[in-house]
Amino acid sequence: MRATPASLAPGYVLHRRPYGETSLLAELFTRESGRLGVIAKGAQGRGGRGRGGGLQPFQPLLVSWRGRGELPVLADWEAVGPPLPLQGDALLGGFYLNELLLRLCRRHDPHPELFLAYARALGELGEARPLVLVLRSFEKALLDSLGLGPMLTEDRSGAPIRPGQWYLCSPQGGPQPIVGPGRGPWEVPGTALLALTGEPLVIPPELQAAVNGLFRVLIADQLGGAPLRTRALWQALRRPAPADLPREPEV
C-alpha cells in the first residue's frame, strides 16, 4: 500500500543520514507500509519543509510519499508531537528498538500491531518504566509479528507447559522437556515461559536472567550471528570495573 500526498500516514524515523547538500536519506517505520526508505529533499540544514519541522527520531509523525521502488520521495511530513526527551539508558533502549526494526523487518512489509507496540515502547521509555520490561515486551511483539515467537503455553508435543519443568527452546520447534536445571540460554524453566504470557509483561526478578538470555539468543539467531551495534555501544558505555566484567548488560 502506498500513501499519496493527500493521505498522511502515521510513522517514525528510525535512521537518517545526509544525502547531497540539502537532503536526507531516511528509514521510516509506518503503520500502513511498515519499514520504508525515502529521500527527504530539502530536509537537511533547516527546520524541514514539513509543517511540523524536521525529521527526528522518537517523534510521532504523519508522512506521505510519492513514487515507487526502493527509495520514493517524501512528499510531506508533519510532527504530531515533540520528540521524546530520552536520556541515558532510555535513549540507548530507543536506539536498540530502532536497530531491531532496521535489521529484522523487510521494507514494504506492514506490521500494524508491531507499529503500535513500538509507539507504546517509546512511551514507556519516556515514562521510565523498568527497561528490562520495555525491551522484552517489544522483542516479544517483534518476534510474534514476524511469526518467530516462542511457544509459551504448550511444548512441542502439545502438552501444557508445567511451571516446575525445564525446557529446551530451540528455534527449530516448540519447547522440549529436559532434565533441569538448564545450563544454557536456550534452556529455561516453565515458569519463565508462562511469565511471558501476561499483559502487561511482568517478569519476577528471579526469572529475569533466564528470560533475558532466551530473548538474546532468539534475536541473535535471526541476525545470523551478526552483532548489534547498540549492544556493543551499551557495553562500551556501561563497561564495569575489571572485577565485575562477567556481569551482563541490560539489553
Side-chain angles (χ1 to χ4, degrees):
M1 180 177 181
R2 298 288 191 271
T4 66
S7 175
L8 292 169
Y12 288 90
V13 174
L14 299 178
H15 185 264
R16 44 174 270 176
R17 61 186 176 90
Y19 182 66
E21 295 184 358
T22 62
S23 300
L24 294 171
L25 289 178
E27 288 286 339
L28 309 179
F29 187 48
T30 68
R31 188 178 65 190
E32 280 78 9
S33 296
R35 187 166 72 87
L36 181 71
V38 297
I39 300 174
K41 294 184 177 181
Q44 186 182 177
R46 52 193 175 102
R49 186 183 53 192
R51 295 188 292 275
L55 295 166
Q56 302 296 327
F58 314 128
Q59 180 176 32
L61 302 169
L62 293 174
V63 296
S64 66
W65 57 93
R66 61 175 180 265
R68 297 183 179 274
E70 282 299 303
L71 286 175
V73 174
L74 193 63
D76 198 8
W77 64 93
E78 176 181 354
V80 293
L84 287 172
L86 302 182
Q87 298 180 355
D89 286 354
L91 180 60
L92 285 173
F95 286 135
Y96 175 70
L97 302 185
N98 286 3
E99 186 175 8
L100 288 182
L101 291 173
L102 287 167
R103 298 280 297 275
L104 295 181
C105 291
R106 296 178 300 175
R107 283 179 174 172
H108 309 295
D109 188 7
H111 293 280
E113 292 185 359
L114 182 58
F115 180 88
L116 295 178
Y118 175 74
R120 182 170 61 250
L122 290 184
E124 291 174 344
L125 288 174
E127 295 166 0
R129 186 173 185 238
L131 187 66
V132 64
L133 299 181
V134 178
L135 300 187
R136 298 299 86 81
S137 294
F138 181 77
E139 289 168 343
K140 179 175 179 291
L142 172 62
L143 291 173
D144 287 345
S145 182
L146 298 176
L148 303 170
M151 295 172 60
L152 301 175
T153 59
E154 295 182 348
D155 66 20
R156 64 176 57 188
S157 68
I161 295 294
R162 292 176 290 166
Q165 176 67 54
W166 282 77
Y167 294 90
L168 173 64
C169 300
S170 70
Q172 284 73 37
Q176 177 182 351
I178 60 172
V179 177
R183 297 180 179 178
W186 294 111
E187 301 168 341
V188 299
T191 48
L193 296 177
L194 294 173
L196 295 171
T197 62
E199 289 292 341
L201 187 64
V202 176
I203 307 173
E206 65 273 16
L207 296 176
Q208 287 185 6
V211 171
N212 290 352
L214 176 61
F215 274 97
R216 188 172 295 120
V217 292
L218 287 171
I219 295 293
D221 183 71
Q222 296 307 314
L223 294 171
L228 284 163
R229 293 181 179 179
T230 45
R231 189 182 299 283
L233 176 61
W234 201 292
Q235 291 172 328
L237 294 178
R238 300 185 52 163
R239 189 174 300 280
D244 298 328
L245 282 178
R247 189 176 63 185
E248 291 282 354
E250 286 265 7
V251 174

